[in-house]
Amino acid sequence: MGRSPCCEKAHTNKGAWTKEEDDRLIAYIRAHGEGCWRSLPKAAGLLRCGKSCRLRWINYLRPDLKRGNFTEDEDELIIKLHSLLGNKWSLIAARLPGRTDNEIKNYWNTHIRRKLLNRGVDPLTHKQLNESTARHVANTICCNGVNYEDNKEDSNYDIKNPNEFINKDDDDEMKKIPDLNLDLRISPPTEPIMSSSMDKSKSKNNGNGYDFLGLKSGFLDFRSLETK
DNA sequence: AACGTGTCCAACCGCATGGGT
DNA sequence: TACCCATGCGGTTGGACACGT
């Protein structure tokens, strides 16, 4: 027997949100603040599950969201952060004010992956691709760039350690590629991130309001991230 | 205009996590 | 320590839209 559903699915709407639902959610959160997502739908008069309300608010309705195209600077920042953090979209989003993890994840999968491949860079490992590897990755369709079924036949692919997917026949080429320094340093935030959810998360942290490495709170200063 | 194909992104799902008891 | 519950996260899906033929 699995876990019980997060809400009573029989009486909840699914799919695209209507203007009226948006208005109700905005009005409720303006009046009562974020949080208590489970009870929010009922209190706000919405036939939605709490998860759905939370997602709608965070990804679409929040007033501090930055809509519109990503800038070149944001692109490069995302690439840099992804090389350090991997698919930790929420951590990456914490470093990009006004952007959501979902937005960044989508943008990565639709634009940046392709951009990196065009540059000859493996979007998974951030290492330079040689021609055969590039062909392999280009043929890999799944979102994370790893298709285990395909790769398990590849003698250079270590299924237990996909990040080590390199062409072993081309060691000289690999030596030219600098290793990334994955040591993260802590530095104070450049600006406070103010929201009720951040206030809530602060309570989980130490007295300074910063989590270890600044990862949880999103206060890790990008300027302190560097490669060797 | 009609159709097929590709792209984008909002939303969903299942699992992980952390706090409370 | 075990369990329950609410929330958060990352992967995936499906529908809308754009574009080419």
Side-chain angles (χ1 to χ4, degrees):
Chain A
M1 203 176 88
R3 120 188 328 230
S4 61
C6 72
C7 50
E8 182 53 65
K9 295 193 180 212
H11 302 295
T12 56
N13 291 340
K14 288 174 78 173
W17 280 64
T18 65
K19 179 81 173 61
E20 190 190 346
E21 287 177 313
D22 282 349
D23 291 343
R24 276 179 186 268
L25 182 56
I26 291 167
Y28 184 87
I29 290 176
R30 274 192 188 143
H32 302 93
E34 292 179 44
C36 264
W37 294 109
R38 195 175 172 87
S39 59
L40 184 149
K42 195 174 179 184
L46 288 163
L47 293 173
R48 292 277 178 173
C49 90
K51 266 184 169 184
S52 180
C53 294
R54 177 184 158 272
L55 216 60
R56 182 64 178 172
W57 173 256
I58 288 174
N59 288 332
Y60 200 80
L61 299 175
R62 248 170 48 198
D64 59 326
L65 287 181
K66 189 197 287 182
R67 313 298 300 180
N69 296 338
F70 282 76
T71 65
E72 195 62 32
D73 284 348
E74 284 177 313
D75 276 20
E76 295 307 318
L77 180 53
I78 292 168
I79 291 167
K80 181 100 176 174
L81 288 167
H82 186 274
S83 73
L84 293 162
L85 301 168
N87 291 4
K88 300 291 178 190
W89 305 115
S90 61
L91 296 181
I92 294 171
R95 310 305 307 164
L96 285 123
R99 302 295 189 185
T100 70
D101 54 353
N102 204 36
E103 190 178 14
I104 292 169
K105 180 172 57 181
N106 282 333
Y107 187 66
W108 175 271
N109 288 328
T110 55
H111 291 91
I112 298 184
R113 277 191 77 241
R114 198 175 307 150
K115 186 173 175 175
L116 290 178
L117 287 171
N118 286 340
R119 287 183 190 172
V121 174
D122 183 348
L124 182 65
T125 63
H126 294 267
K127 290 178 177 174
Q128 203 69 33
L129 295 165
N130 64 27
E131 203 179 325
S132 64
T133 311
R135 211 167 40 237
H136 183 105
V137 172
N139 287 337
T140 304
I141 297 170
C142 78
C143 294
N144 293 328
V146 175
N147 182 323
Y148 296 115
E149 285 304 307
D150 288 345
N151 288 330
K152 70 184 179 187
E153 299 299 324
D154 189 324
S155 61
N156 292 333
Y157 186 78
D158 180 359
I159 196 163
K160 291 177 187 160
N161 198 359
N163 284 343
E164 295 302 316
F165 181 39
I166 59 172
N167 188 334
K168 291 167 186 163
D169 297 330
D170 207 358
D171 282 350
D172 289 341
E173 192 61 32
M174 292 306 298
K175 282 173 190 162
K176 294 176 195 166
I177 303 166
D179 287 340
L180 289 168
N181 177 7
L182 295 178
D183 292 336
L184 303 177
R185 291 192 228 147
I186 304 170
S187 67
T190 52
E191 58 186 274
I193 301 173
M194 299 303 292
S195 78
S196 57
S197 62
M198 288 307 297
D199 290 346
K200 197 177 76 173
S201 71
K202 248 193 261 180
S203 66
K204 297 178 189 171
N205 303 330
N206 61 30
N208 296 330
Y210 305 133
D211 198 6
F212 178 61
L213 292 179
L215 295 178
K216 191 152 228 161
S217 62
F219 287 148
L220 176 65
D221 189 347
F222 167 65
R223 290 170 303 180
S224 69
L225 305 176
E226 60 185 57
T227 56
K228 275 181 193 168

